[in-house]
Amino acid sequence: MREESALVQQFFLVIEYLAVISGGLYGILLAKRHGMDFVGLFAMAFILAFGGGTLRDLFLDRHPLFWIRHQEYALILFGMAFGASFFRSLSDAIEKWLHLPDAFGLGLFSILGTSFALEADVPWFIASLLGVVTGSFGGVMGQVICNEMPNLFTSSPLYATCSFVGSWTFLLLSLILSVEYATLCGIAVVVVFRLAAVRFDLRLPNRSESSSS
Amino acid sequence: MREESALVQQFFLVIEYLAVISGGLYGILLAKRHGMDFVGLFAMAFILAFGGGTLRDLFLDRHPLFWIRHQEYALILFGMAFGASFFRSLSDAIEKWLHLPDAFGLGLFSILGTSFALEADVPWFIASLLGVVTGSFGGVMGQVICNEMPNLFTSSPLYATCSFVGSWTFLLLSLILSVEYATLCGIAVVVVFRLAAVRFDLRLPNRSESSSS
Amino acid sequence: MREESALVQQFFLVIEYLAVISGGLYGILLAKRHGMDFVGLFAMAFILAFGGGTLRDLFLDRHPLFWIRHQEYALILFGMAFGASFFRSLSDAIEKWLHLPDAFGLGLFSILGTSFALEADVPWFIASLLGVVTGSFGGVMGQVICNEMPNLFTSSPLYATCSFVGSWTFLLLSLILSVEYATLCGIAVVVVFRLAAVRFDLRLPNRSESSSS
């Protein structure tokens, strides 16, 4: 955490790669659960890793889209899906271990989304929502395609909430700190909050009576 | 209905608020039916209220999107979802009463969509379709996410049809009347037609043999 | 296949009409299978015929969208859906015969998507993916709306793969041939490959264990 901006940039780049890879891994796991072939594995990896950021870029009219600018992200996902197509299933161990990169991915994509929105002079509340969309809508799209109810919307351990709280941490700290530090703090809040939610099974209270199964 | 444009503008603003609120209420009802928590309530309210208009803005390349420009709309939905999360379910009374603001919402969003398309020099037939998309695709998206077959597409009481007829009323009247009057007439046609469809159970004939359920 | 560019343009136009029509027919068949009324028939025809190209245009920031520029495409679909609403179901004969125009549609939309991406200076790998999206995502959207698992992602006869191989054929040949010839060859590869996949039931190997039905 030196003040040298170049170091911070490299740190961000590493995290962004991790975020794309973890999004891709989740996509592949989801595709495997539904018995998809290589095309399905790649498509789901693509949708989980790029879905939220694509919505953000379209909503904010940012072009070219981030995965069009960074061809290497799609190539990595292609390689991952290709490799995964040789395995019958991925071990449960991997699925458990995934919470870590996923939390980093949620953190980075959320704060990136919020800060891009801020750059575009979007009001704060909307900026925080765009952070949540960026961080979590890839998963929503993936589950909708697989005809699963998005577990973001039901009482799973906190996910969108971590992203929302981290986005506001970033927004408030950006008033008193440099953007780099505010970004790092925002990401840290999302990551720690999300890992705590998984570890201690934190959920929102839910009084809705489900009439579906 | 004085000719003063300011009064007309205020009238439109009131209706737009009503439209966002009724879209949000439908979203919350849908989320409640599927047992969602606060995040789900807010997300569904957001999608139902903003989904159609977002597609319109993206298709016509209008930026910033209307809900990015009007932060207060999202804040209202946030408050509504927060309030609703304390109730186990919403009474059937509300659901019945909802047809009224929903019909106004359908009318306003449809005619707004058509008139924005017209401003962008879109051919008439496409403009009327964009009116229908603006008025009714929030509901389609919401149902797709909840894995329900969109009842817009099956033989429910006329919905998209009302929007289509009202859009053409607006287009044709805009040739001989001022835009304000044509808009008001278009909205009125949608509202009256929709309320009549609900009241008298008007449906399109349907000869399709469903092989599902 | 004279070198006159005007003739080639006309050839493309004919194929584009065929592509829109075959996309629309598939949409209508899908809608009929799910018991939809006229609104549903038209909406599904619209989504199947325009879905992939709309994503391409939005991702590449091309405006106006192709179906906004060509009002006649939507009018054709409207007429087709109207006609189809008088029939109880479409005969299986039509469904079988559809593979031909659909293969042409897949070919043309894929290569068009890739070449538009190339024009926009998109890297090659991304360009080939945009070709696949343009050619095949209308069908994915349609099936998601109908709560079917997209058969693009499971082990159906090769579809996205044909589009991918054809897109690369186009990209590589565009280095040594004129764009017109490269386009024709790319389309031909997709069409022949797709028809062969249907005829000989070519599928990707699939080692995923489906845990869903």
Side-chain angles (χ1 to χ4, degrees), chain B residues 106 110 114 127-137 152 160-161 163-164 167:
Chain B
L106 181 67
S110 300
T114 308
S128 70
L129 294 183
L130 284 171
V132 175
V133 166
T134 309
S136 55
F137 261 61
L152 186 68
T161 309
S163 164
F164 188 73
S167 294

Side-chain angles (χ1 to χ4, degrees), chain B residues 149-161 202-210, chain C residues 27-28 30-45 80-82 84-88:
Chain B
M149 173 68 60
N151 53 25
L152 186 68
F153 296 163
T154 52
S155 286
S156 310
L158 300 177
Y159 195 87
T161 309
L202 307 177
R203 296 160 189 262
L204 287 182
N206 186 351
R207 291 170 182 275
S208 305
E209 304 169 341
S210 176
Chain C
I28 287 170
L30 190 62
K32 281 281 179 194
R33 268 214 308 273
H34 287 273
M36 294 183 181
D37 64 9
F38 168 73
V39 171
L41 294 179
F42 179 50
M44 296 308 295
M80 283 167 54
F82 187 74
S85 67
F86 291 101
F87 295 92
R88 289 186 70 81

Side-chain angles (χ1 to χ4, degrees), chain B residues 58-61 122-126 129-130 137 140 143-144 147-150 152-156 160-161 164 204-212, chain C residues 31-44 46-47 54 58 61 63 65 67-68 71 74-75 78 85-89 144-147:
Chain B
L58 291 177
F59 288 172
L60 293 174
D61 202 20
V122 164
W124 277 26
F125 183 62
I126 301 293
L129 294 183
L130 284 171
F137 261 61
V140 171
Q143 291 196 291
V144 169
N147 298 316
E148 295 183 0
M149 173 68 60
L152 186 68
F153 296 163
T154 52
S155 286
S156 310
T161 309
F164 188 73
L204 287 182
N206 186 351
R207 291 170 182 275
S208 305
E209 304 169 341
S210 176
S211 56
S212 63
Chain C
K32 281 281 179 194
R33 268 214 308 273
H34 287 273
M36 294 183 181
D37 64 9
F38 168 73
V39 171
L41 294 179
F42 179 50
M44 296 308 295
F46 198 93
I47 290 163
T54 301
L58 290 178
D61 203 20
H63 289 277
L65 305 182
W67 51 269
I68 291 183
Q71 179 175 215
L75 281 166
F78 195 85
S85 67
F86 291 101
F87 295 92
R88 289 186 70 81
S89 63
V144 168
I145 288 176
C146 290
N147 296 319

Side-chain angles (χ1 to χ4, degrees), chain A residues 123 125 153-154 206 208 211, chain B residues 32-33 35-37 67 71 88:
Chain A
F125 183 62
F153 297 162
T154 51
N206 187 349
S208 304
S211 56
Chain B
K32 281 280 180 195
R33 269 214 308 272
M36 294 184 180
D37 65 9
W67 50 270
Q71 179 175 215
R88 288 186 70 83

Side-chain angles (χ1 to χ4, degrees), chain A residues 23-56:
Chain A
L25 270 174
Y26 266 117
I28 287 170
L29 284 170
L30 189 63
K32 280 280 179 194
R33 270 215 307 273
H34 287 273
M36 294 183 180
D37 65 9
F38 168 73
V39 171
L41 294 179
F42 180 51
M44 297 308 294
F46 198 94
I47 290 162
L48 273 271
F50 298 156
T54 301
L55 281 186
R56 174 202 63 204

Side-chain angles (χ1 to χ4, degrees), chain A residues 8-9 12 16 56-57 60 62 106-135 163-164 166-174 178-187 190:
Chain A
V8 172
Q9 289 297 330
F12 283 176
E16 192 167 59
R56 174 202 63 204
D57 286 353
L60 292 175
R62 290 173 64 95
L106 180 66
L108 180 99
F109 276 141
S110 300
I111 307 304
L112 271 188
T114 308
S115 76
F116 285 176
L118 212 55
E119 273 174 39
D121 275 327
V122 164
W124 276 26
F125 183 62
I126 301 294
S128 69
L129 294 183
L130 284 170
V132 175
V133 166
T134 310
S163 164
F164 188 73
S167 294
W168 277 98
T169 306
F170 162 76
L171 287 168
L172 293 172
L173 287 182
S174 72
S178 72
V179 172
E180 280 86 5
Y181 280 111
T183 304
L184 288 175
C185 293
I187 294 174
V190 178

Side-chain angles (χ1 to χ4, degrees), chain A residues 58-59 61 122-126 129 147-150 152-155 161 204 206-212, chain B residues 32-37 39-40 42-43 46 54 58 63 65 67-68 71 74-75 78 85-86 88 145 147:
Chain A
L58 290 177
F59 288 171
D61 202 19
V122 164
W124 276 26
F125 183 62
I126 301 294
L129 294 183
N147 296 318
E148 296 183 358
M149 174 67 61
L152 188 68
F153 297 162
T154 51
S155 287
T161 309
L204 287 182
N206 187 349
R207 290 168 183 278
S208 304
E209 304 168 342
S210 176
S211 56
S212 63
Chain B
K32 281 280 180 195
R33 269 214 308 272
H34 288 273
M36 294 184 180
D37 65 9
V39 171
F42 179 51
F46 197 94
T54 301
L58 291 177
H63 290 277
L65 305 182
W67 50 270
I68 290 183
Q71 179 175 215
L75 281 167
F78 194 85
S85 67
F86 291 101
R88 288 186 70 83
I145 288 177
N147 298 316

